[in-house]
Amino acid sequence: MITSKSNKSQIKTKSRPRQNLHKDPKVNFYEGCKIWLEFWRKNPHRFAVDYLGFPLFTFQQILLYMMNISDYFVFIACRGLGKSYLTAVFCCVRCILYPGTKVVLASGNKAQAGLIISEKIVELRETYPVLNREIKEVKTNIDKAEVIFHNGSRIKATTSGDGSRGMRGNILIVDEYRLVKKENIDSVLKQFLTAPRMCPFMQKEEYKDYPPESNKELYLSSAWY
């Protein structure tokens, strides 16, 4: 005797369409970008590890997270802890996630300030292709050390002397700040942060009361004695 299959087995289940999808794939792409951008801005350590591919220890991920959410950050590290490496990672992550960001790296002399660019960021760019796609140009001259991103963000190196008074930025990073005179930090370096980063949408009338983004100050130093 031949038995017929049950009706339930003959019914083919239809795949359900994803919710909140638009007919235009371009709109779906931008909507997805907004979701991931919000997630990565709240979790910059995940962006560094998952998207850029940087290897970070747990304590480095915590430090990177705090560097991103704090307006004032001090990092005193023992020798070999990777202070310059983590600073380079933070600069790249911040510049990618926040287009138009201007980061100023300052130190007692320009050669010291430019090491993060000429050594760490150049090495990261050569090692990780995803970061290389984000960077437009890297200048490693002694007189002009600079990283230019495709989205308009920049990282510049400068000294803490009077010759740097005309520079402007949204994020100030002072390397080996214990060797920089306090009067230079107050009268020269802090004056770089005259204006916050301005997003294009803030120029629209409906966003005129939108709160501006806070500038940041980061101070780095080796533990020394």
Side-chain angles (χ1 to χ4, degrees):
M1 181 182 293
I2 300 175
T3 58
S4 61
K5 296 181 180 180
S6 61
N7 293 333
K8 291 184 179 180
S9 63
Q10 294 179 357
I11 298 176
K12 295 182 179 180
T13 58
K14 296 182 180 180
S15 58
R16 295 181 179 179
R18 292 175 57 188
Q19 299 295 323
N20 301 325
L21 281 181
H22 198 271
K23 293 182 179 179
D24 188 353
K26 193 179 205 180
V27 175
N28 294 329
F29 173 77
Y30 287 126
E31 290 296 325
C33 286
K34 287 195 298 184
I35 295 172
W36 277 107
L37 182 60
E38 180 183 3
F39 172 78
W40 280 330
R41 283 184 173 181
K42 293 180 179 178
N43 302 274
H45 54 294
R46 296 260 48 97
F47 179 77
V49 174
D50 297 340
Y51 182 76
L52 294 177
F54 296 157
L56 295 177
F57 294 106
T58 302
F59 81 93
Q60 291 176 316
Q61 295 183 37
I62 295 172
L63 286 171
L64 180 61
Y65 175 81
M66 295 304 300
M67 293 168 80
N68 190 63
I69 67 172
S70 304
D71 293 339
Y72 302 94
F73 185 86
V74 178
F75 184 19
I76 301 176
C78 63
R79 190 171 183 84
L81 194 65
K83 169 174 61 67
S84 299
Y85 168 75
L86 188 61
T87 303
V89 170
F90 167 75
C91 290
C92 294
V93 169
R94 186 77 187 188
C95 286
I96 295 172
L97 291 180
Y98 296 82
T101 296
K102 293 180 175 60
V103 180
V104 180
L105 292 167
S107 186
N109 57 77
K110 199 170 235 183
Q112 173 70 28
L115 286 178
I116 293 178
I117 294 176
S118 60
E119 291 186 2
K120 301 303 179 182
I121 294 182
V122 168
E123 183 180 350
L124 288 173
R125 184 190 185 191
E126 294 174 351
T127 307
Y128 302 98
V130 178
L131 175 62
N132 185 45
R133 289 199 299 266
E134 300 287 345
I135 295 177
K136 181 179 180 180
E137 184 181 3
V138 176
K139 300 177 183 178
T140 57
N141 298 330
I142 297 178
D143 296 332
K144 191 173 186 179
E146 184 179 12
V147 181
I148 304 173
F149 291 80
H150 288 288
N151 63 2
S153 296
R154 291 174 180 265
I155 306 171
K156 293 183 179 181
T158 185
T159 61
S160 58
D162 291 337
S164 303
R165 287 187 180 275
M167 190 163 290
R168 295 292 178 264
N170 313 122
I171 299 177
L172 170 64
I173 301 177
V174 185
D175 193 15
E176 297 297 346
Y177 74 92
R178 64 183 178 82
L179 301 177
V180 180
K181 295 180 180 179
K182 187 178 185 302
E183 53 264 31
N184 287 349
I185 293 178
D186 294 335
S187 63
V188 178
L189 299 183
K190 286 187 177 181
Q191 305 308 315
F192 296 166
L193 308 174
T194 55
R197 184 181 73 101
M198 294 298 296
C199 305
F201 74 87
M202 296 178 66
Q203 299 177 3
K204 296 183 178 180
E205 183 65 23
E206 59 266 34
Y207 295 105
K208 64 178 181 179
D209 296 328
Y210 195 85
E213 188 177 286
S214 300
N215 291 328
K216 292 182 177 293
E217 299 177 30
L218 290 84
Y219 298 92
L220 317 173
S221 177
S222 55
W224 201 44
Y225 288 138

